[in-house]
Amino acid sequence: MRRVFVAGIGATKIGEHWERSIRDLMVESSLNAIKDAGIDKKEVEAIFVGNMSSGYLQGQEHLGALLSTWLGIPGVAACKVEAACASGGAAFHNAFLAVKSGVYDCVLAVGVEKMTDAVTSDLTSALIMADDQEYVAFAGFSFVALNALVYRAYMKKYGAKQEDIALFAVHDHKYAVNNPLAQYRRAITLDTVLSSPLVADPLRLFECAPTGDGSAAILLCSEEKMKELGLEAEVEVAASSVATDILSLHDRDDLTTLVSTRRAAEKAYKMAGISAKDVDIVEVHDAFTILGVIHLEDLGFAKKGEGWKLVKDGEIEKDGKVPTNLMGGLKARGHPVGATGIYQIYDVALQLFGKAGPNQVDDASIGLAQNVGGVGGTVSISILKRVR
Amino acid sequence: MRRVFVAGIGATKIGEHWERSIRDLMVESSLNAIKDAGIDKKEVEAIFVGNMSSGYLQGQEHLGALLSTWLGIPGVAACKVEAACASGGAAFHNAFLAVKSGVYDCVLAVGVEKMTDAVTSDLTSALIMADDQEYVAFAGFSFVALNALVYRAYMKKYGAKQEDIALFAVHDHKYAVNNPLAQYRRAITLDTVLSSPLVADPLRLFECAPTGDGSAAILLCSEEKMKELGLEAEVEVAASSVATDILSLHDRDDLTTLVSTRRAAEKAYKMAGISAKDVDIVEVHDAFTILGVIHLEDLGFAKKGEGWKLVKDGEIEKDGKVPTNLMGGLKARGHPVGATGIYQIYDVALQLFGKAGPNQVDDASIGLAQNVGGVGGTVSISILKRVR
């Protein structure tokens, strides 16, 4: 099968972009990626836009054609890809398949979401669409409440304590300080987290990813196209996978594991020809602290029930065994939902290109990004590999 | 590159399905396609769901995981694909790329939309999201009004008359009589069309596709998988393409042509190694009579400004030179927007499988389906070929 390479990456700062629309954000990140590659934008043949809620929140669909128009390259193939908060990862997977197929040689995967214009009740309604509306939302569940259930179940089953799990948020903020694109560039303490308002028992406000606006883009090219464009192949997409699970928690056997992560990881590790121990740098979808912990386990970096120990023991730090979310994660870099999957791949690529600044991991050569939709209804995993 | 075959097709009747949800509809069409192929549903590896407005109209996103869950195959890769009314065609294109890539061997392309539960004002709001909300909807345009503009421009430029263009609706209804899945199975006269209420001058109600609920599904397999499953390769996907154009009419040079159709057709004809004259059976996206006429021209079946002559001269009839929309088209079969692109491919496949009943074209061996998002912001073209 054809090899697929990262030709360029681009992103906007995540935050409250009152002065700019969803259109502006995705155009900015796309142009940044094209500029990063140093190619003419007319080389782009197809665009896949990851986004969850533009119809509901902005009254705007058809983002593919909107973006190709405003990028100044109408004509290319384009569509929006949606898989709840895994929309970015799913868009990347489609872009990967597009190059792999041989039909396209130069493809943009873009993620975008604009959340801060919306009032909280609308955002709550938008986010619960990630689960089964008729069975879950009608029963009164919000998305935060579902994750609080998982939190309780995990603590009960494994005897883990909130003060250990909540450390994930402290970790994210520590690294976001050095990320110019992060939404919250300030360090926090465990006390700040545990004394922050209770959102859905036991989840505290500072254990939850914030709402934010942002867009990120990855330009993918085939091996032939890289040569034709005179680009040096530095980072390869070694694997891209997507797996689903039963959509709602009430039908699952176990609330404390995401089967979709395990399935997607199994496929991705096999495709890349590696195992968990080969991974140098990790991005996990820690929309809530408890999820970050669970993901470390489901990805194979810790035994079940012991993910929090990695956090507590400093093993997810820059110099630890499993350097994780070194640009701030969802908690501090931010979580513009449909864009997050692409931001994660952006951050992994930054490390592999050696451009992560003060947060750079020495000799990082294999990185993994895990993007989750709903409470694991969909999981996308991307593995990038430095080839130079 | 790998060859891609149609292994099975399925669909629901289009209509007002008050008793069933969007979930029920997409599960029904998917199971029908799997049953049609005669395989175990566990063979399916990935699902691409074409849908435009489930978030806005049903408060439900994440249709990929919802469908995989309710199909009883959680675990597969899945996502929703959106490109306005071309969502179905775009989902099919992604499914095609997925098999072509070598990553997947057995993939479902599903289209679904549920429109009749919504009040008219909500539907109008949902549909205009296909154009540029900030520049078009804010100025007061509805989707119907945009197409009325195109209608006026066409009549002025080419001297065509409404009584000729409106014949397209009469044509669609004539053939829908024999389609058990069609929303309106009754013949109408030109007088009925021209005396129906004025919706947006000059568009009459009976020149506009109705709102409807429905879902269609196509199961695609690689050549190797067809053999492994013991399926006979009868219909091949000879080409699948997507092309965009400047999203909004106010920025285009000419209102009377869809550049996106011409671009997508060029790519598709090249991929299939054919030209327009080789096509035996055509499905065009006649959401409005005038668009049906314009599509015939942009696809290369008539000179610019003369598409209406094909209709008037009976050349789009079953025994004409360009048999078109022989299962009722968007006007009479119905137009559940995100599902339409898949219904079109379903209808083309029916013909190539020789299962179109009274509407069957003798020896149909190459069929083309054209699916349009917005007023041509996105166009998807699929070409199927009988290989047995």
Side-chain angles (χ1 to χ4, degrees), chain B residues 142-156:
Chain B
S142 69
F143 194 64
V144 181
L146 292 171
N147 285 278
L149 263 188
V150 169
Y151 207 153
R152 276 268 169 246
Y154 185 90
M155 289 197 293
K156 185 175 178 194

Side-chain angles (χ1 to χ4, degrees), chain B residues 56-57 115 117-129 142:
Chain B
Y56 192 76
L57 296 178
M115 305 169 76
D117 304 343
V119 295
T120 305
S121 56
D122 280 350
L123 263 180
T124 300
S125 298
L127 291 174
I128 196 59
M129 293 187 200
S142 69

